[in-house]
Amino acid sequence: SKDEGRKRFSYFTPEMQETANINRQLTQELRLAIVDHDFKVLYQPIMCLKTGEVHKAEALIRWHHPELGTISPAEFIPLAERCGAIIDIGNWIFSTAAKQVQHWQQTLDPDFQISINKSPAQFQNPDPSADSRWIDALTHLGLNKGICLEITEGLLLDDGSIIHQRLQKFQAAGFEISLDDFGTGYSSLSYLTKFDINFLKIDRAFVSDLENSLQNQALCEAIIVMSHKLGLKVIAEGVETSNQLNFLKLAECDYAQGYYISRPITAEEFERQLKSPTPF
Ligand code: C2E
Ligand code: CA
Ligand code: CA
Ligand code: CA
């Protein structure tokens, strides 16, 4: 009833009300931001630990709001998911990353790969031809293995068999799949055998204190050994120190990503770095 509504409303503090207002405003502006070119994509290098080379990057979106400045994706992606704008935003990131990786495959490295984040909400696209549009686009650009989809365990949680089929279709068309944020959330080891995943990303939480925490050392080592036995490659996220990097190298982790190697940077800066005498 109206009364209950009013009562619930009264539990809102002024700060909560302000947050709600800002969120409502941002939600309205999300759709305009694509048209107005206020979104940018940054690329964070993913380094191969065997060779020290970089032929992978993760695409990370930024919103440069005309009045509020840069807004973190941690803030606006959840809003975009709730209002549905995530579908258009996700399509925009995909086509931006696909064009970028085509360029880098032609000019830098024929095996270059860009990872993009695809949240569970993006897999709930009501458009039944949404998957095949991405698949056709990848095929059309001739980008075998050019795009890796970073998914989270939440996606695998329910409805396993349908998601399984959809992921297989993506993979058959040349996409690869990473399991992001591994070790947080609803981790179940059964996902690793049920789904044919290419990469496992160890969450930053296990990497951040690697030099001091024997537990994190044990967990990282065990995850790497287990992944290799299952045929998965491992990417460690959030590497911030040389000690962490060295530990991961010794543990035979395949790839590392983090501020120690580079923060997320623009495509131009990425190219400049890769072509410099001392890349990353
Ligand atoms: P994520 O997918 O786990 O991405 C990694 C986040 O960790 C990024 O934050 C990255 O900038 C940050 N990071 C990388 N290295 C380090 C490090 O060494 N130390 C620390 N402290 N942080 C590091 P960012 O760019 O703010 O993105 C936050 C989250 O927003 C992402 O987490 C992802 O879940 C989501 N996101 C970002 N871009 C997209 C997108 O294009 N689509 C979707 N669906 N989600 C996105
Ligand atoms: Ca990610
Ligand atoms: Ca992650
Ligand atoms: Ca995350």
Side-chain angles (χ1 to χ4, degrees):
S1 75
K2 236 187 183 156
D3 241 31
E4 274 175 342
R6 208 171 289 137
K7 227 193 273 160
R8 235 179 287 132
F9 202 68
S10 69
Y11 293 124
F12 266 49
T13 63
E15 292 78 36
M16 285 163 79
Q17 185 56 47
E18 176 140 352
T19 307
N21 287 340
I22 289 175
N23 285 350
R24 198 172 314 119
Q25 187 199 337
L26 292 182
T27 300
Q28 282 164 4
E29 290 172 342
L30 272 169
R31 289 180 190 279
L32 293 174
I34 298 184
V35 185
D36 291 348
H37 305 286
D38 290 341
F39 289 123
K40 293 275 171 322
V41 181
L42 296 184
Y43 298 91
Q44 188 176 34
I46 299 174
M47 179 180 276
C48 171
L49 290 181
K50 224 178 249 156
T51 63
E53 286 169 7
V54 170
H55 37 77
K56 287 183 194 300
E58 179 175 1
L60 293 159
I61 193 168
R62 294 292 177 266
W63 183 7
H64 298 293
H65 190 281
E67 286 127 40
L68 300 172
T70 303
I71 304 173
S72 157
E75 245 175 280
F76 72 81
I77 293 286
L79 298 179
E81 289 176 341
R82 242 173 284 146
C83 74
I86 190 67
I87 299 297
D88 287 344
I89 295 171
N91 287 337
W92 178 81
I93 293 163
F94 169 66
S95 68
T96 304
K99 275 178 232 146
Q100 188 64 64
V101 80
Q102 186 187 41
H103 177 64
W104 282 345
Q105 286 193 348
Q106 286 165 0
T107 58
L108 296 174
D109 180 343
D111 295 323
F112 205 94
Q113 182 179 65
I114 293 177
S115 292
I116 61 175
N117 293 284
K118 189 161 181 176
S119 67
Q122 291 174 263
F123 280 90
Q124 279 160 16
N125 193 336
D127 175 1
S129 61
D131 288 5
S132 54
R133 270 208 247 117
W134 283 33
I135 285 168
D136 292 347
L138 197 83
T139 312
H140 181 73
L141 291 170
L143 288 179
N144 192 35
K145 305 254 159 89
I147 297 283
C148 180
L149 302 178
E150 296 199 0
I151 61 165
T152 51
E153 292 157 329
L155 179 72
L156 310 179
L157 204 62
D158 46 43
D159 226 352
S161 66
I162 291 172
I163 282 295
H164 191 194
Q165 282 176 20
R166 290 174 66 189
L167 292 180
Q168 274 184 325
K169 274 195 194 152
F170 277 109
Q171 286 173 308
F175 287 85
E176 292 201 297
I177 308 284
S178 276
L179 187 56
D180 202 359
D181 302 343
F182 184 76
T184 65
Y186 315 95
S187 304
S188 158
L189 295 179
S190 68
Y191 298 143
L192 299 181
T193 50
K194 233 187 281 167
F195 296 89
D196 182 18
I197 293 154
N198 304 98
F199 303 94
L200 183 154
K201 297 190 83 168
I202 304 179
D203 192 75
R204 178 156 57 95
F206 303 103
V207 175
S208 63
D209 201 24
L210 211 43
E211 45 263 273
N212 304 310
S213 162
L214 293 177
Q215 277 121 331
N216 282 352
Q217 291 178 9
L219 281 171
C220 284
E221 282 175 339
I223 291 171
I224 293 164
V225 169
M226 175 190 68
S227 299
H228 287 165
K229 288 198 172 165
L230 294 172
L232 289 112
K233 300 239 185 262
V234 182
I235 303 169
E237 292 194 287
V239 177
E240 292 183 348
T241 68
S242 62
N243 283 339
Q244 290 164 7
L245 193 74
N246 287 332
F247 179 91
L248 291 161
K249 266 187 209 164
L250 284 174
E252 295 185 41
C253 185
D254 303 281
Y255 297 93
Q257 178 183 357
Y259 294 168
Y260 181 70
I261 297 160
S262 167
R263 288 188 176 254
I265 49 181
T266 63
E268 294 73 35
E269 178 63 20
F270 200 102
E271 276 184 35
R272 218 176 303 132
Q273 283 270 352
L274 263 194
K275 288 177 179 162
S276 82
T278 52
F280 300 112

